Amino acid sequence: LLVLQLLPVVMVGIIVAAMFSATMAAISSDLNAMASVLTRDFYLPILRPDASENTLVRIGRLFTLTLGAIVIGLSLWIALTHQESLFHIMVTVFGLLLAPTLLPILGGLTMRWLTWKGAVAGFAAGLVSGITTFALKTWYLPKVPGLSTEWVNYTFEGISIFINIGMTCLGMWLGSVLPTRDVHEQNRIAVFFRAMDTPVSSSEVHVHKDHSASPALRAATLVVGSLLILAGLFAASTQARWIDFSFGVALAAVGGRFIWEGRALKEREKKGASITV
């Protein structure tokens, strides 16, 4: 709303293009990550352990296409039916899947007593709890007399998140302490945490001396600042003119300083290299 009200038409187009660019970049990385997990951690070890690299590339592309189609289908359903809001769906999925998927992973990285049976039990307990609370919120509670829709959609949604977290933690603990301890698994856990506790030496750290993205970032900051200054000069509203001009001058100053510091750094590196030679 601020963009539509305060910025001129040209800047609105730039902001919309930036929003599309950021969304496309985020979705691209997410689809790539999910397709990689399904290909490497599901298809390769379970379905075809002898699959070649070319086959894995094709399967990864197929997973990416399928996931993209699912995302587009859900987006069109939300936009065309007007039955559910995106925010409400995100909160529902958050409460249903966050605890059973995230807590076992964090527990495996931090808790030495957690076993694979505990992780699976925590995932199953959290998933069952999430599905149960989702069913109550969707089909039972709206029919109970005296309960408002706001309480069901928001208050109980928050309560269900804490219930799922508690059930996941309970499943992780019971699944780890009740079954008989596996000596081989305990040894693997000890080796893993011994490696985690070993400090990283300076020889293992690779220092990148080539800052290839720095010139582009400096120039982009200066260009964006200059565009905001131009937008401020041509803005119809006095308030928009001052806002655009002020932020444009600030960004242009920061970009100019970045460029000056980059050139000074190159000069110092050249002098240091000549002295070394």
Side-chain angles (χ1 to χ4, degrees):
L1 182 61
L2 288 173
V3 169
L4 294 176
Q5 294 292 330
L6 299 179
L7 294 183
V9 176
V10 177
M11 287 303 299
V12 172
I14 294 176
I15 296 298
V16 171
M19 293 173 63
F20 273 107
S21 177
T23 304
M24 291 168 63
I27 293 177
S28 174
S29 61
D30 289 341
L31 290 179
N32 186 38
M34 289 187 288
S36 299
V37 170
L38 291 174
T39 303
R40 288 289 180 180
D41 298 336
F42 172 72
Y43 179 82
L44 179 61
I46 297 176
L47 299 182
R48 287 194 61 184
D50 58 342
S52 63
E53 288 296 325
N54 291 333
T55 302
L56 294 179
V57 171
R58 290 196 298 270
I59 294 300
R61 291 172 178 171
L62 181 61
F63 277 131
T64 304
L65 179 63
T66 303
L67 293 170
I70 292 174
V71 171
I72 294 174
L74 290 175
S75 303
L76 292 175
W77 175 74
I78 295 172
L80 297 177
T81 60
H82 302 287
Q83 296 180 358
E84 292 285 352
S85 67
L86 179 60
F87 175 78
H88 188 257
I89 293 176
M90 290 175 61
V91 171
T92 301
V93 174
F94 178 86
L96 181 63
L97 299 177
L98 181 69
T101 56
L102 181 62
L103 292 182
I105 296 176
L106 294 179
L109 294 173
T110 56
M111 294 182 290
R112 301 170 190 265
W113 52 265
L114 181 64
T115 64
W116 73 267
K117 294 178 181 178
V120 173
F123 173 78
L127 191 61
V128 170
S129 172
I131 294 174
T132 303
T133 55
F134 175 76
L136 288 174
K137 181 181 70 68
T138 305
W139 293 293
Y140 176 72
L141 293 179
K143 299 179 181 179
V144 175
L147 291 180
S148 64
T149 305
E150 183 179 355
W151 188 92
V152 173
N153 291 334
Y154 296 100
T155 305
F156 183 77
E157 192 81 60
I159 295 173
S160 65
I161 293 176
F162 287 102
I163 293 175
N164 297 342
I165 292 175
M167 292 300 297
T168 303
C169 294
L170 180 63
M172 291 165 57
W173 180 70
L174 292 177
S176 298
V177 300
L178 291 183
T180 305
R181 292 283 180 172
D182 186 352
V183 177
H184 297 289
E185 183 181 8
Q186 294 301 314
N187 292 333
R188 291 197 304 269
I189 293 174
V191 171
F192 172 78
F193 278 102
R194 192 179 304 120
M196 292 279 288
D197 295 336
T198 303
V200 179
S201 61
S202 57
S203 60
E204 297 177 297
V205 180
H206 179 68
V207 180
H208 296 276
K209 295 184 178 180
D210 182 20
H211 304 285
S212 58
S214 298
L217 292 175
R218 298 168 189 146
T221 305
L222 181 60
V223 169
V224 172
S226 302
L227 290 175
L228 281 175
I229 293 174
L230 291 176
L233 294 176
F234 293 100
S237 170
T238 304
Q239 184 180 7
R241 188 180 303 115
W242 279 108
I243 292 175
D244 294 346
F245 191 81
S246 301
F247 278 99
V249 170
L251 281 178
V254 172
R257 182 174 179 81
F258 283 166
I259 293 175
W260 179 81
E261 289 180 351
R263 292 178 179 176
L265 179 60
K266 287 184 178 180
E267 292 294 332
R268 289 196 296 268
E269 291 177 351
K270 289 181 181 178
K271 291 181 181 179
S274 62
I275 294 174
T276 303
V277 173

